[in-house]
Amino acid sequence: MTFILHIDMDAFFAAVEQRDDPRLLGKPVIIGADPQGGKGRGVVSTCSYEARKFGVHSAMPISQAFKKCPKGFFLQPDMDKYSRVSAEIMKILYDFTPEIEQVSVDEAFLDITGSYHLWKTPLAVGQSIKARIKKDLDLNCSIGIASNKMIAKIASDYCKPNGLLQINAEQILEFLWPLTVDKIWGVGAKTKEILNNSGIFTVGDMAHTSRELLRSRLGEHGLDLYELANGIDDRGVVLEHDVKSVSNEYTFDEDTNNKEELYKTISYLCEKVSYRLRQDELKGKTITVKIRTGAFKTVTRSRTLDDRTNFFDDIYKNSKQLFDEYFGSLPSKEVVRLIGVRVANFEENFVQDSLFEPALDIKKEKVHQVMDKIKNKFGEGVIGRGR
Ligand code: TTP
Ligand code: MG
């Protein structure tokens, strides 16, 4: 029996702002473009549940949101802050299982099949995650648990806000069939219209339609929808291992052009990236440094090495050179707001590799392994590196 847990934060951007400014608690908060007294362009990113009562929602033109809720608190998004909170959330989730697929900034799937017994039941895992996120981050989320991804996601959406809902295998159809067709993955506005025009409004209608009819209206896609309407979804949780790169970035509290501080930060990021690569037994060939200046100009500089690596020394040496090349070309007054380091271009990681690698690398690898063991045992941060 598989247990998939889907977690999605409630009114994420708005909730972070309400948490950080208690004056906003209980108030309609709208995050998005500047409304400029109703003349502003751009759209709503999200809004608090208080603002949703006025009919405001994501993607609505900000001018329209202003008309619906003129007394609302309109704030521009602080993406750096939300990414930081997002990373904190994901870090908590990794305490429950390494089998995580992060889908967006505030959303992830966890395959808890192999780990739930540590909390006794899948539902208890959900309760513990909610409690941890509330206690550590003072934020609410909603969680759905089911035997597959689609049902877990529909369940978390269904129980929003601040909900927890488990759908057992034998309850799936009873849960699914009364819902409108657009709850099914892959049914957007256009597909919905085609289905509605054929008299298909609920998931149950769809499940009771012949596969031939669905195919004639929607092509092969119709057959996938038929399966989904019957609660069948075999898609697995896609682990980070399948991701194409490992990266880390840091936003300075205050923009800086202090070389010492910048190098220290690059070193810290390389340390993290190297650690993650080694944990996942990955090695990459392409190293990229990302720099965002105080003027919000973002540039990336990349270099592809002859051999794949996950060693700190290699990643740091190259990152530092890439950084120097770019930073040297900037006016002396320019400041840095954000730095990122990424390693990509993995080929398969043959264990055999080490047979052909020079003895020095084998030794380095051993040292890294020992350091990783200590980190795993006592947490990151206990082990540093002499510079
Ligand atoms: P969602 O999870 O879709 O929305 P939400 O977390 O604000 O609200 P809830 O899940 O409780 O319904 O998206 C997560 C964040 O992504 C959201 O806080 C802001 C951002 N976002 C946009 O910027 N534009 C959009 O159109 C959407 C849907 C989300
Ligand atoms: Mg959300």
Side-chain angles (χ1 to χ4, degrees), residues 91 95 272 275 371-384:
K91 193 150 178 272
D95 286 347
K272 287 224 158 201
Y275 177 70
M371 285 170 62
D372 288 349
K373 280 218 178 87
I374 298 174
K375 278 184 184 166
N376 282 341
K377 204 155 169 201
F378 302 108
E380 269 185 80
V382 295
I383 213 162

XYZ file of all heavy atoms in Angstrom, residues 91 95 272 275 371-384:
144
model
N 12.950 22.027 4.359
C 13.894 21.440 5.310
C 13.137 20.646 6.390
O 13.542 19.545 6.765
C 14.723 22.558 5.938
C 15.910 22.083 6.699
C 17.044 23.110 6.672
C 18.222 22.617 7.485
N 18.144 22.968 8.916
N 12.723 16.111 7.353
C 12.788 15.378 8.625
C 11.775 14.229 8.648
O 11.820 13.383 9.534
C 12.503 16.311 9.804
C 13.687 17.224 10.081
O 14.774 16.943 9.534
O 13.525 18.190 10.839
N 27.647 23.866 0.688
C 26.300 23.290 0.702
C 26.038 22.453 -0.543
O 25.486 21.352 -0.464
C 25.258 24.415 0.752
C 25.164 25.103 2.078
C 23.719 25.289 2.423
C 23.545 25.454 3.887
N 22.279 25.189 4.415
N 28.050 19.281 -0.519
C 27.463 18.350 0.453
C 26.241 17.646 -0.139
O 26.130 16.421 -0.092
C 27.084 19.119 1.718
C 26.409 18.286 2.775
C 27.112 17.314 3.486
C 25.057 18.468 3.067
C 26.484 16.551 4.452
C 24.426 17.710 4.037
C 25.146 16.750 4.725
O 24.517 15.993 5.672
N 33.524 13.298 6.707
C 32.904 14.557 7.124
C 31.387 14.488 7.027
O 30.676 14.973 7.886
C 33.421 15.704 6.254
C 34.840 16.105 6.635
S 35.560 17.236 5.446
C 34.476 18.630 5.579
N 30.916 13.858 5.962
C 29.475 13.747 5.795
C 28.845 12.927 6.906
O 27.759 13.224 7.377
C 29.141 13.113 4.434
C 29.428 14.077 3.293
O 29.669 15.263 3.591
O 29.405 13.649 2.134
N 29.549 11.870 7.318
C 29.017 11.024 8.390
C 28.846 11.848 9.654
O 27.842 11.761 10.343
C 29.959 9.848 8.664
C 29.819 8.727 7.682
C 29.946 7.354 8.360
C 29.755 6.244 7.350
N 31.015 5.871 6.669
N 29.869 12.660 9.936
C 29.801 13.478 11.149
C 28.652 14.479 11.038
O 27.881 14.666 11.974
C 31.138 14.228 11.364
C 32.261 13.207 11.557
C 31.053 15.156 12.562
C 33.639 13.803 11.631
N 28.548 15.078 9.845
C 27.457 16.037 9.653
C 26.100 15.376 9.853
O 25.211 15.922 10.460
C 27.527 16.640 8.253
C 28.509 17.766 8.147
C 28.440 18.378 6.759
C 29.492 19.449 6.607
N 29.681 19.828 5.214
N 25.978 14.181 9.286
C 24.698 13.482 9.404
C 24.360 13.212 10.856
O 23.208 13.235 11.260
C 24.741 12.162 8.643
C 24.571 12.377 7.165
O 24.078 13.436 6.763
N 24.989 11.427 6.366
N 25.387 12.936 11.625
C 25.161 12.562 13.005
C 24.865 13.779 13.881
O 23.973 13.753 14.712
C 26.406 11.835 13.521
C 26.091 10.924 14.663
C 27.107 9.816 14.765
C 26.916 9.098 16.081
N 28.105 8.373 16.456
N 25.636 14.830 13.671
C 25.530 15.963 14.594
C 24.928 17.199 13.964
O 24.833 18.242 14.586
C 26.914 16.308 15.151
C 27.549 15.156 15.850
C 28.615 14.484 15.288
C 27.041 14.725 17.067
C 29.185 13.410 15.936
C 27.613 13.642 17.712
C 28.687 12.980 17.152
N 24.551 17.098 12.709
C 23.958 18.257 12.056
C 25.024 19.068 11.357
O 26.189 19.012 11.710
N 24.556 19.804 10.353
C 25.475 20.654 9.614
C 25.982 21.755 10.521
O 25.347 22.116 11.478
C 24.740 21.291 8.436
C 24.826 20.463 7.190
C 24.190 21.205 6.036
O 24.855 22.072 5.485
O 23.027 20.902 5.728
N 27.114 22.277 10.182
C 27.576 23.431 10.966
C 28.588 23.036 12.008
O 29.335 23.862 12.494
N 28.644 21.743 12.392
C 29.623 21.350 13.402
C 31.008 21.218 12.789
O 32.009 21.277 13.476
C 29.273 20.005 14.085
C 28.001 20.124 14.860
C 29.188 18.880 13.080
N 31.019 21.009 11.475
C 32.319 20.782 10.857
C 32.625 21.909 9.884
O 31.808 22.255 9.060
C 32.342 19.406 10.175
C 33.736 18.813 10.262
C 31.916 19.451 8.758
C 33.733 17.339 10.008
N 33.742 22.508 10.042
C 34.098 23.590 9.145
C 35.250 23.153 8.289
O 35.598 21.994 8.247
